[in-house]
Each structure stands twice: as structure tokens, then as C-alpha cells.
Amino acid sequence: MTIERTNPDGLHPTPGYHHVTRVQADTLIYLAGQCPLDPSGVLAEGGLVGQTAQVIENILVALDAAGATPDDVVRTVIYVASADRDELAAVWTQLNDSALAPAFTSASTLLGVAQLGFPGQLVEIDVTAAR
């Protein structure tokens, strides 16, 4: 498998992700949107920081179960239930300071949305990996 991450000339600089992720792989792994629910199904406490930490843990568990690592991630979409750019930036920083950080060097999108599926849910992340 090969993963090539590039920022073509003529596109703006990024805060760590790449505009283009090109993959040649035998297997693609699609994770369901990972929510801030603990193993018992309870919404993580601690507001945006606590919920983001739970989502990180859930993604690491799911990737491991699929035989993948954060380095194998080729696409992420991060949803934050907020219109506050500072909160979106804080989530981006927390993700990039975590064990999941290599996942966010690939093609990534960060969105502020009106709401997510569970009452009180503040963050969700879709992940695609390749092996």
C-alpha cells in the first residue's frame, strides 16, 4: 500500500493537513461516525474537551480492531456542534496533540454544524483508512 499526501502548487497553505491524498491499497476501512459515547453508551462528560477525548479513544479502538493505525487514515471529516471558530480551532488543536494526530495529515474537513445526532453531543468524526 502507498499513501501520497501533497499540497499542489496554486493551493493555499494548510494548518497541517494535505489538500490531496492519493492511495493505492488492497483494503479500505470506513469507520462509522465516531461519537463521544463511552463503552456503556453514556455521553462523555467534560464538554467539548471531554467529548473530543472520548471520540479520539473510540477512533483508536475502532482502527485497532480493523488492523489499522492513525498513519493509515486517508480522510477525516470533523463535525463540531458550534458556530464559534475558536471552538472549532480548539478541537483541531486537541486532535493534533493526541495519539490520533497522524490521521489529520491526510485530506481533512472541519465543519461547524447546528446539531449532531445525540442530545448534548458536540463532536463526531468520520474516518476512512487504507491498508
Side-chain angles (χ1 to χ4, degrees):
M1 180 204 52
T2 59
I3 300 174
E4 177 186 318
R5 297 172 177 97
T6 61
N7 287 318
D9 290 339
L11 295 177
H12 65 83
T14 70
Y17 67 88
H18 289 85
H19 284 287
V20 178
T21 301
R22 184 173 170 269
V23 180
Q24 287 186 295
D26 294 326
T27 303
L28 291 177
I29 300 161
Y30 300 93
L31 302 187
Q34 292 300 296
C35 300
L37 302 178
D38 71 16
S40 66
V42 174
L43 187 66
E45 295 181 358
L48 196 52
V49 171
Q51 288 192 22
T52 301
Q54 184 65 58
V55 170
I56 291 166
E57 180 61 26
N58 293 350
I59 292 169
L60 291 169
V61 168
L63 286 173
D64 185 59
T69 71
D71 290 313
D72 298 319
V73 172
V74 296
R75 176 83 174 122
T76 62
V77 181
I78 305 150
Y79 303 93
V80 181
S82 177
D84 184 334
R85 284 193 174 95
D86 289 339
E87 289 185 343
L88 275 67
V91 169
W92 181 254
T93 298
Q94 185 176 351
L95 293 170
N96 281 283
D97 288 344
S98 75
L100 192 56
F104 303 103
T105 64
S106 284
S108 291
T109 300
L110 173 63
L111 300 167
V113 299
Q115 65 181 340
L116 293 164
F118 292 97
Q121 180 183 358
L122 301 173
V123 64
E124 183 167 333
I125 301 177
D126 286 334
V127 175
T128 303
R131 297 277 307 148

